[in-house]
Amino acid sequence: MKEKAMQKGVSVIVMDDRDHVATALRELVPGETITCEVQGNSVSLAVNQPIPFGHKVAVIHITEGDHVRKYGEVIGRAVCDIPVGDHVHVHNIEGIRGRGDQAGGEPSSAEA
Amino acid sequence: MSLTFQGYRRPNGEVGIRNHLLIIPTVICSNQVCNRIQQLVPNTVAIPHQHGCSQIGADKDRTFDVLAGTGKNPNVGGVVIVSLGCEVVDPTQLAEEIRKTGKLVEVFDIQSVGGSVKAIQHGVQLAQEMRTKLDAMTKEAIPFSELKIGVKCGGSDATSGLASNPALGVAADALIAEGGTIVIGETTEIIGAEHVLADRCRTTETADDLYHIVNRFEKEVERMGADMRGGNPSPGNIAGGLSTIEEKSLGCISKCGTAPIEGVIEYAESIPQGGLYFMDSPGNDIECVSGMAAGGAHLVCFTTGRGTPTGSAVIPVIKITGNRICAERMADNMDVDVSGMLEGSVSLQEAGNHIWDEIRAVSDGQLTKAEVLGHAEFSINRIGPSL
């Protein structure tokens, strides 16, 4: 991971040119416009929902089933279309790894 | 001239940055006697645990290895072993294993001595005499090339991947540049990032070992039929903005710096000298730190975003956060605050230097917040059922 210099007063950071998401460095509110670097270009976009500190916002449109990237690497898969400016979290992306629930193993509930 | 700190040279040539008197129960049944001895003799530490009996095979061996490794840790100057007298973990064998280091070891069992009261009395006498001998030991200048540090993260949030872990990576590189040793663990928390670490392995055999332990763990999750999410990332990780294990893992791995990975070692296995190693361990904070201590780490650098008080029975744990709110709210527990990185007031290199300075001071005897507060957590990773 290359070092991203953080400037005073920036609201979000995109870690890598391949990323679909930016991470909020403060709480973002719906309707506000943020500026960040996306694939080498400075881009302004409107935030659609409240984004808590440390959470992710989509900076590129993500289509259902697409791999979602942060740090330039795959962090999961979109379970629905995610427009630019939307909160990206457990409600619209899922992990691909460690998914015993999809592997047909024994159920883990307290039935036993 | 190489950088040095003041440490204790042990009879086998190893070096301690603390001079603990450790009281080991071989089995849960000895816990209370050990706790009473600790209360009555100042500057002793007991490691009560739930195991030591009704165990077989590799699971029994692992409990033995963690107890022996903790006793052999060079931060420990002397050991009192308290057995019940009928348990699975053999107290004589444990004493012999720890005596290989040349340090002071005493062992007795509660059944032979004649019950709790006599056992406490006997243990107090042994511990008092041993503490006097330990207090007469002196320190000498030791080069940082002899230091072994574990890197760990726990109670992570998005700031861990953005700030505290990359900053710890800078400090890890500084120790390796001095000829020292770094160990990283948490097999669970490289799932989704193992390809990045595998590319850094010195040999293809080491890369294969790394893929093997990750696959083994993921198969275990599959066998349980569960989604990892909710267990790891935990509810707190998710509240902090981490959505998947892959995202958490990719944020985790920067804490070990940029050196090549020299080898993959088992949980609690002795950590080789020089360079970066991977210890197969769970992400569970206490089990992971206890495994590193049993492997001979001198201290652990621990990053957190949500905040955690975790310490260790025999090694200092330096707590580092990149979250301003955590640094302020849990100031009692945080040793290093690098949250300025996310506000643009501190660079990555400056934050790394800050951690490196703290490592140097703690190696030289400065107490961590966890030590001041008496945090002496200890737990043993289990790999089998109780019988």
Side-chain angles (χ1 to χ4, degrees), chain B residues 97-135:
Chain B
E97 185 61 33
I98 298 171
R99 280 195 187 109
K100 287 179 185 169
T101 60
K103 66 182 73 173
L104 306 168
V105 180
E106 297 285 355
V107 57
F108 66 93
D109 71 84
I110 298 169
Q111 290 168 350
S112 299
V113 170
S116 291
V117 173
K118 286 176 183 153
I120 292 163
Q121 195 173 16
H122 185 58
V124 165
Q125 190 172 355
L126 292 174
Q128 265 185 335
E129 289 167 8
M130 189 180 286
R131 190 65 257 178
T132 305
K133 289 178 188 163
L134 295 184
D135 289 342

Side-chain angles (χ1 to χ4, degrees), chain A residues 13-72:
Chain A
I13 182 162
V14 180
M15 298 300 287
D16 190 281
D17 283 347
R18 289 167 289 178
D19 289 0
H20 298 96
V21 296
T23 303
L25 298 177
R26 61 172 173 79
E27 196 168 329
L28 307 177
V29 296
E32 76 167 294
T33 300
I34 55 170
T35 304
C36 54
E37 200 173 302
V38 179
Q39 295 175 344
N41 303 311
S42 182
V43 171
S44 289
L45 57 98
V47 173
N48 303 331
Q49 293 114 22
I51 315 277
F53 169 74
H55 286 232
K56 297 176 290 300
V57 56
V59 296
I60 294 176
H61 181 86
I62 307 166
T63 304
E64 179 180 347
D66 277 359
H67 284 172
V68 180
R69 285 181 184 269
K70 178 183 171 184
Y71 302 108

Side-chain angles (χ1 to χ4, degrees), chain B residues 131-151:
Chain B
R131 190 65 257 178
T132 305
K133 289 178 188 163
L134 295 184
D135 289 342
M137 293 177 177
T138 53
K139 291 184 175 184
E140 60 183 74
I142 310 286
F144 275 89
S145 58
E146 298 197 42
L147 198 68
K148 294 177 180 176
I149 295 183
V151 292

Side-chain angles (χ1 to χ4, degrees), chain B residues 114-320:
Chain B
S116 291
V117 173
K118 286 176 183 153
I120 292 163
Q121 195 173 16
H122 185 58
V124 165
Q125 190 172 355
L126 292 174
Q128 265 185 335
E129 289 167 8
M130 189 180 286
R131 190 65 257 178
T132 305
K133 289 178 188 163
L134 295 184
D135 289 342
M137 293 177 177
T138 53
K139 291 184 175 184
E140 60 183 74
I142 310 286
F144 275 89
S145 58
E146 298 197 42
L147 198 68
K148 294 177 180 176
I149 295 183
V151 292
K152 170 83 182 83
C153 53
S156 298
D157 69 3
T159 67
S160 305
L162 300 181
S164 54
N165 284 336
L168 178 52
V170 170
D173 283 344
L175 180 67
I176 288 179
E178 288 291 322
T181 310
I182 295 287
V183 63
I184 179 175
E186 305 179 85
T187 312
T188 350
E189 297 179 16
I190 63 165
I191 292 177
E194 68 270 39
H195 58 293
V196 182
L197 287 181
D199 282 348
R200 284 172 46 189
C201 288
R202 177 78 74 184
T203 65
T204 51
E205 289 76 16
T206 298
D208 289 345
D209 288 348
L210 196 70
Y211 280 121
H212 170 71
I213 61 171
V214 172
N215 288 340
R216 185 168 66 179
F217 190 88
E218 209 169 1
K219 285 275 183 317
E220 190 63 15
V221 174
E222 284 178 9
R223 193 183 64 77
M224 292 179 69
D227 183 354
M228 276 188 67
R229 190 153 78 178
N232 201 345
S234 70
N237 295 150
I238 292 170
L242 299 176
S243 306
T244 64
I245 188 61
E246 294 94 319
E247 182 183 9
K248 185 175 175 182
S249 296
L250 290 160
C252 275
I253 57 174
S254 58
K255 66 181 180 279
C256 69
T258 57
I261 297 176
E262 307 292 346
V264 174
I265 59 174
E266 264 296 340
Y267 180 78
E269 185 180 342
S270 179
I271 303 159
Q273 172 70 44
L276 173 63
Y277 291 86
F278 193 97
M279 179 179 281
D280 183 21
S281 79
N284 178 287
D285 293 348
I286 320 299
E287 287 184 19
C288 179
V289 171
S290 297
M292 289 172 167
H298 294 103
L299 68 88
V300 163
C301 289
F302 192 117
T303 63
T304 182
R306 309 282 297 173
T308 170
T310 298
S312 158
V314 297
I315 61 177
V317 177
I318 298 173
K319 222 63 61 54
I320 302 153

